[in-house]
Amino acid sequence: MEPVLEWRQGGLAVCSKPAAMSPEKLLAWASTLGAGWELRSCCSSSGGLALLADKAVPTPKVRGTYALLVVPQETKEDPFGFMKDALEFFGGPEEEARVVEEIMSGHFGALALVELDAAVGSGGKLPKEAVLAMQEAGLAVLRLPGRGKAEAKRSSKPSEPSEDVLPGTCVQLVSLQGAGVPRCQRPISAKWRSFLEAEQKLAAQRRRPEEASFCGLKLLVPSEQLRPRNASVALVQAAVELLKSGGRVLDLGCGCGALLLAIRQGTEGSVSGTGLDLDEEAVTCCRANAARLGLQVNTVLADFAQLDSPEVRPQLEAEGYDVIVCNPPYRSTAQQEAYDASVGSFGGYAEHSKTLVAGETGLEMYQAISSCLARDLMAAQKRLLAPPKPVLSLAGSLIFQVEAGSHGRRGGMAGKVAAAVQAASQGMLSFQRIIEDENKMERGILLKWSFT
């Protein structure tokens, strides 16, 4: 995209430029206006207006308004009051800063759109100087380095007066006017507006649990917990089929209890169930949902990679479990970064990344659980099933959910997960089949164990 020339007279010109356009590219475009043009407002990479001047022509003083997205640098009991107080006596006699919009933010708690009026151009404020001035007032200016990402960043002091802000720093020149210069004004960018709206939506989500439907059940789901997906229905169906004669089921990483409660409901009370999670809020929510539905389940607050530990084992069923189900975090850090970059995390659910990201490979949780169960099996074999009894029954099934991905109909992650599980369990967990949904998409894998 090319800049749009807003106004030109004598030795001054004002243009609206695309976000992320570098000073070099902007000056290359300015050369089409004639020789000798230079940047007077620098080139913030968040878009907005740019002031250009002809070096050979005397230019009048120009005033402008910078827009910035800021948050308090430290946690404050009254963040909006703090921001207004910080800007009340801001700057010198020719500068004024004010909060023009304040929102509750899903990621930062409180966020404000601030306007700073100051001289722009020769002897005036540059974008980086505006950012540094906010920092001196105790406010951090946000960066949006990529779509769907945001962070509060402190800028370092510029080594040169003309040095620009870091790419994506939320500062835009939104208006300019001066002697003989008509007022040029533009609203904040669409990207900023979209970000602010998404942060408000996220904050609203986090203020209250939402109700979600899964397998005909109405479940309360805390905002940071994983919301049940239709992709998990195939796992419930597979578990119900395995438990049609009764038995005991263990849900690892139970969250709000979606898998566990749907299996209990589907087996009409012939199955006892336990939900285990490391997150206290998840365990509390699972209990609350079970009570709402009139279903009896046991809940355990523990790490699912420590099932065989002396602290955890006594809290589990003494006779072990016939079926174990688990929908673990299975994204790699690179997958999550790619997801954020492509669709953005701000417009979706408020789920915490800990419910989605396993680690660098995405296989870490599968491997940790499999290693734990293998240790339990080996210990049980050595003591010939003498007390203490193992987590697992004499024979049973393990169901893992997997990510179908874009090629789920012809081979997604199921094969990779199966290989990782069998290797981590030293072959003690035997791969049986891929679990598919009604559309033939890969949704899980079924493994078996038995004492020999």
Side-chain angles (χ1 to χ4, degrees):
M1 292 179 62
E2 289 290 305
V4 176
L5 184 62
E6 300 288 345
W7 176 86
R8 177 184 176 183
Q9 183 175 316
L12 286 178
V14 178
C15 71
S16 297
K17 69 176 187 62
M21 174 170 274
S22 68
E24 292 76 20
K25 288 184 178 180
L26 186 58
L27 285 172
W29 172 84
S31 66
T32 62
L33 304 177
W37 289 87
E38 64 179 357
L39 272 171
R40 285 292 176 85
S41 64
C42 204
C43 184
S44 168
S45 56
S46 290
L49 298 172
L51 177 64
L52 298 155
D54 186 339
K55 290 184 283 189
V57 178
T59 56
K61 189 174 184 179
V62 178
R63 289 187 60 79
T65 300
Y66 287 107
L68 305 100
L69 295 183
V70 304
V71 297
Q73 291 186 31
E74 299 176 358
T75 303
K76 302 292 181 182
E77 185 175 340
D78 179 13
F80 296 127
F82 169 79
M83 287 188 274
K84 288 177 179 177
D85 289 345
L87 299 179
E88 185 177 0
F89 302 104
F90 180 88
E94 294 190 349
E95 295 178 4
E96 181 184 351
R98 58 194 171 274
V99 174
V100 295
E101 187 174 347
E102 54 188 38
I103 69 164
M104 296 301 297
S105 163
H107 289 90
F108 302 100
L111 195 158
L113 172 64
V114 169
E115 287 185 351
L116 167 61
D117 297 330
V120 175
S122 180
K125 265 191 167 34
L126 300 173
K128 193 158 193 176
E129 292 169 329
V131 171
L132 291 169
M134 288 294 120
Q135 290 178 180
E136 290 174 1
L139 304 176
V141 179
L142 296 183
R143 277 188 74 208
L144 297 173
R147 186 180 174 190
K149 298 179 180 179
E151 51 191 6
K153 283 285 187 184
R154 290 180 62 87
S155 224
S156 58
K157 267 208 180 288
S159 56
E160 297 290 338
S162 62
E163 186 179 341
D164 198 7
V165 294
L166 294 171
T169 301
C170 292
V171 52
Q172 296 178 3
L173 187 60
V174 293
S175 75
L176 283 166
Q177 66 179 0
V181 179
R183 184 175 180 83
C184 296
Q185 187 166 4
R186 289 292 175 268
I188 61 171
S189 69
K191 180 179 180 179
W192 281 24
R193 182 54 60 192
S194 175
F195 169 71
L196 291 173
E197 290 172 357
E199 283 296 297
Q200 286 179 301
K201 178 181 176 182
L202 205 54
Q205 286 182 13
R206 289 184 169 170
R207 284 197 294 270
R208 65 185 187 279
E210 292 192 356
E211 192 173 73
S213 297
F214 180 71
C215 290
L217 305 178
K218 296 292 186 182
L219 304 169
L220 288 177
V221 186
S223 59
E224 293 197 0
Q225 292 297 319
L226 184 70
R227 294 176 62 85
R229 267 67 158 174
N230 288 335
S232 301
V233 172
L235 276 69
V236 172
Q237 294 169 340
V240 168
E241 179 64 24
L242 290 167
L243 291 162
K244 60 185 177 182
S245 299
R248 296 172 296 277
V249 61
L250 173 63
D251 182 2
L252 300 179
C254 63
C256 69
L259 291 178
L260 177 64
L261 298 174
I263 292 168
R264 285 280 286 107
Q265 184 85 351
T267 51
E268 298 180 346
S270 61
V271 168
S272 64
T274 301
L276 182 145
D277 205 294
L278 186 60
D279 189 316
E280 186 173 359
E281 186 178 12
V283 170
T284 300
C285 185
C286 180
R287 289 176 188 153
N289 281 324
R292 291 178 76 208
L293 298 169
L295 297 172
Q296 183 66 39
V297 296
N298 182 34
T299 54
V300 178
L301 180 64
D303 183 349
F304 54 39
Q306 301 294 326
L307 298 175
D308 57 332
S309 70
E311 296 77 23
V312 177
R313 185 62 190 89
Q315 302 179 65
L316 303 174
E317 290 277 1
E319 300 301 320
Y321 295 91
D322 305 293
V323 173
I324 297 177
V325 294
C326 183
N327 178 16
Y330 50 63
R331 282 184 188 164
S332 67
T333 50
Q335 282 177 309
Q336 184 66 31
E337 288 170 1
Y339 175 82
D340 287 344
S342 62
V343 301
S345 62
F346 302 108
Y349 298 125
E351 298 161 339
H352 195 284
S353 60
K354 68 184 178 184
T355 68
L356 300 167
V357 180
E360 192 167 337
T361 68
L363 299 171
E364 287 84 352
M365 297 304 181
Y366 296 111
Q367 293 166 324
I369 294 169
S370 303
S371 297
C372 175
L373 295 178
R375 291 195 305 267
D376 193 58
L377 283 167
M378 288 186 284
Q381 286 177 335
K382 287 180 181 178
R383 57 182 179 257
L384 300 176
L385 303 183
K389 292 181 179 180
V391 174
L392 307 177
S393 59
L394 294 179
S397 304
L398 171 63
I399 298 173
F400 273 131
Q401 183 156 344
V402 299
E403 186 173 29
S406 59
H407 303 291
R409 291 184 180 87
R410 295 171 293 168
M413 286 293 293
K416 292 181 180 179
V417 173
V421 167
Q422 291 188 112
S425 68
Q426 301 178 52
M428 303 193 79
L429 294 171
S430 174
F431 172 70
Q432 299 295 301
R433 66 180 177 90
I434 293 173
I435 297 172
E436 296 180 337
D437 65 14
E438 58 186 8
N439 299 314
K440 303 301 181 183
M441 295 287 286
E442 295 179 353
R443 296 304 185 187
I445 58 172
L446 175 65
L447 303 109
K448 293 279 189 179
W449 74 79
S450 63
F451 291 110
T452 56

